[in-house]
């Protein structure tokens, strides 16, 4: 009897097949590649762009194309948001393309003294080459600060290539003479690092010296490509007015995002007043500071899901947090002129976490 049992035990012990082991190795390698992304150096008519692609290269849907702010690169600007747990539902449905401005990627070699850095217009003109390289016809743009300005230029020049825009901390105006003089004074009295920190963070955050502020101050000050960062910053400060108004604006849905008391709060509000109210949503986020994608990834992810649903994608997506709390997570707020005529919550009229079929008015919300 004992011998029989031993024989049964031996026959049940099956070695792992070679094919199974290889399959597990391939799956692990694919997961690592998906997390780290595929890096590419893309030749354009105006120079090389460093680009990181996440996800499968399916062209059935538009890609999500991101562009970072000054003093940041694609990793430091967007990794916390796109690695956020609830964002994975979006990431697994779309290809994500993170674009670094020339010389801004982590570890980039410093440009030589006297290097002529490309203008905002030229950088925007480099983006069609990225779409052609990956064979994407359209994108949904997500830009922060300088990146928001560049994606706006791209969308205005290539309306058929952009299905939607998420613009964080957008300033569509050129610097006036007073701004120019103030910037000249600041450049004399403040270091480059402090200038950029004042661009990225609210005065409350800088005064409180939060961990996020400490981290980015040290990262920028010790960056090996600090000269490149300065060139990018100076180019942005020489930007031209986008000349947006109700009759000359974006041809796609737009979501404007800004943190309460952020450096560009007034600029974002002014931009919203110039936009087409039938295709624009305005999200002002409380306790978000200057970089809401880093400080409030949960709220921004939920709003982004609604925005994508409004474009007709991810109709069955589950809006977990917003669906549970329709009035506290995203509540309607008064517009700057004290009127509620164009205000409503992002969750009004939705059932089961889905967006209403169409957007007929500007959505001004606060989180």
């Amino acid at each position: 009897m004992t011998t029989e049992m031993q024989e049964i035990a031996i026959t049940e012990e099956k070695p792992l097949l070679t094919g199974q082991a290889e399959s597990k190795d391939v799956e692990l390698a694919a997961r690592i590649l998906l997390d780290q992304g595929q890096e590419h150096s893309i030749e354009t008519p105006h120079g090389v762009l460093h680009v990181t692609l996440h996800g499968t290269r399916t062209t059935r849907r538009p890609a999500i194309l991101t562009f970072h702010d000054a003093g940041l690169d694609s990793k430091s600007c967007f990794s916390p948001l796109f690695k956020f747990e609830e964002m994975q539902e979006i990431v697994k449905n779309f290809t994500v393309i993170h674009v670094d401005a020339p010389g801004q990627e982590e570890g980039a070699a410093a440009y030589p003294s006297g290097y002529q850095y490309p203008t905002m217009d030229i950088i925007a003109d480099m983006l069609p080459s990225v779409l052609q390289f990956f064979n994407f016809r359209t994108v949904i743009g997500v830009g922060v600060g300088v990146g928001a300005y560049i994606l706006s230029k791209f969308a205005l020049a290539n309306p058929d290539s952009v299905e939607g825009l998420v613009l964080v901390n957008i300033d569509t105006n050129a610097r006036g003479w007073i701004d120019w003089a103030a910037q000249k004074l600041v450049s004399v009295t403040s270091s480059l690092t402090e200038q950029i920190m004042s661009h990225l963070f609210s005065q409350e955050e800088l005064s409180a010296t939060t961990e996020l502020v400490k981290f980015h101050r040290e990262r920028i000050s010790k960056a090996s490509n600090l000269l490149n960062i300065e060139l990018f910053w100076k180019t942005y400060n020489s930007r031209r007015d986008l000349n947006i108004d109700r009759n000359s604006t974006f041809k796609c849905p737009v979501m404007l995002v800004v943190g309460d008391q952020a450096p560009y709060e007034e600029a974002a509000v002014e931009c919203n007043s110039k936009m087409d109210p039938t295709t624009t949503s305005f999200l002002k986020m409380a306790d978000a500071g200057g970089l809401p994608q880093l400080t409030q990834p949960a709220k921004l992810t939920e709003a982004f899901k609604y925005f994508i649903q409004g474009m007709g994608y991810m109709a069955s997506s589950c809006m977990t947090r917003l669906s549970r709390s329709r009035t506290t997570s995203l509540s309607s707020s008064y517009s700057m002129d004290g009127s509620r005529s164009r205000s409503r919550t992002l969750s009004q009229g939705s059932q089961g976490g889905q967006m209403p079929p169409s957007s007929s008015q500007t959505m001004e919300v606060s989180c």
Side-chain angles (χ1 to χ4, degrees):
M1 186 70 176
T2 306
T3 305
E4 238 179 1
M5 291 180 68
Q6 288 176 342
E7 287 176 355
I8 291 172
I10 291 170
T11 55
E12 287 295 317
E13 289 180 358
K14 297 179 180 178
L16 183 66
L17 297 178
T18 305
Q20 291 177 329
E22 290 177 352
S23 176
K24 287 183 178 294
D25 289 341
V26 170
E27 183 180 351
L28 178 61
R31 287 179 180 176
I32 293 173
L33 188 61
L34 183 64
D35 182 57
Q36 294 180 343
Q38 306 167 34
E39 297 190 20
H40 300 268
S41 295
I42 299 178
E43 292 282 351
T44 79
H46 307 289
V48 178
L49 280 179
H50 177 268
V51 174
T52 306
L53 181 140
H54 291 265
T56 56
R57 201 182 302 183
T58 172
T59 57
R60 291 178 298 174
R61 291 181 171 181
I64 295 174
L65 186 144
T66 74
F67 213 115
H68 61 88
D69 204 348
L72 303 172
D73 54 28
S74 59
K75 290 181 181 179
S76 57
C77 190
F78 291 108
S79 285
L81 176 64
F82 281 90
K83 289 184 177 180
F84 185 68
E85 183 179 357
E86 293 182 13
M87 179 62 83
Q88 299 317 300
E89 186 176 7
I90 295 176
V91 172
K92 73 181 181 182
N93 283 284
F94 291 87
T95 301
V96 181
I97 303 173
H98 296 299
V99 179
D100 287 296
Q104 307 302 303
E105 68 271 17
E106 185 179 13
Y111 289 126
S113 178
Y115 178 80
Q116 185 65 44
Y117 197 81
T119 64
M120 295 284 102
D121 291 33
I122 289 178
I123 296 174
D125 286 342
M126 298 169 82
L127 295 180
S129 298
V130 176
L131 273 67
Q132 293 168 12
F133 183 87
F134 293 117
N135 198 31
F136 276 98
R137 188 178 63 83
T138 60
V139 297
I140 299 171
V142 181
V144 179
V146 180
Y149 179 90
I150 291 171
L151 288 182
S152 296
K153 295 283 294 185
F154 171 66
L156 291 170
N158 304 272
D160 293 337
S161 298
V162 183
E163 290 196 30
L165 282 174
V166 178
L167 304 176
V168 183
N169 298 335
I170 180 67
D171 187 353
T172 62
N173 299 320
R175 283 189 174 273
W177 284 107
I178 296 177
D179 295 328
W180 179 84
Q183 179 61 36
K184 283 292 183 182
L185 179 62
V186 169
S187 64
V188 173
T189 58
S190 301
S191 67
L192 172 66
T193 299
E194 292 308 313
Q195 292 176 50
I196 294 178
M197 292 299 291
S198 296
H199 164 79
L200 295 176
F201 295 99
S202 67
Q203 286 303 313
E204 289 76 8
E205 290 173 294
L206 294 174
S207 298
T209 319
T210 64
E211 289 301 316
L212 189 64
V213 167
K214 289 179 182 177
F215 171 78
H216 284 288
R217 178 177 282 120
E218 182 175 2
R219 183 187 58 79
I220 295 171
S221 64
K222 295 182 178 180
S224 60
N225 62 336
L226 191 59
L227 174 62
N228 302 2
I229 295 173
E230 182 178 15
L231 292 173
F232 187 45
W233 173 240
K234 287 183 175 179
T235 299
Y236 175 63
N237 287 323
S238 300
R239 65 188 179 277
R240 297 192 299 172
D241 199 305
L242 290 180
N243 295 317
I244 291 176
D245 57 42
R246 293 289 175 86
N247 298 317
S248 178
T249 186
F250 303 107
K251 307 302 181 185
C252 63
V254 179
M255 181 168 73
L256 302 176
V257 182
V258 69
D260 193 20
Q261 298 184 355
Y264 290 89
E265 180 182 0
E266 291 185 9
V269 170
E270 181 184 348
C271 177
N272 181 54
S273 69
K274 299 176 180 178
M275 302 286 281
D276 181 353
T278 66
T279 57
T280 306
S281 56
F282 182 40
L283 181 65
K284 186 186 290 186
M285 303 178 68
D287 303 319
L291 296 174
Q293 81 278 10
L294 302 184
T295 59
Q296 297 284 1
K299 291 179 180 178
L300 188 53
T301 296
E302 292 289 348
F304 190 32
K305 285 181 180 179
Y306 271 113
F307 181 70
I308 289 176
Q309 277 196 326
M311 296 170 60
Y313 300 108
M314 295 179 63
S316 60
S317 175
C318 177
M319 300 302 157
T320 55
R321 193 177 62 85
L322 289 185
S323 296
R324 289 196 304 266
S325 182
R326 292 173 182 266
T327 58
T328 58
S329 296
L330 289 179
S331 59
S332 73
S333 65
Y334 284 104
S335 60
M336 294 304 289
D337 60 2
S339 171
R340 279 184 180 265
S341 60
R342 293 188 300 140
S343 302
R344 64 184 174 115
T345 63
L346 284 175
S347 55
Q348 285 177 348
S350 61
Q351 298 295 328
Q354 296 186 25
M355 273 289 286
S358 64
S359 174
S360 61
Q361 54 189 335
T362 297
M363 291 181 291
E364 295 190 13
V365 302
S366 62
C367 304

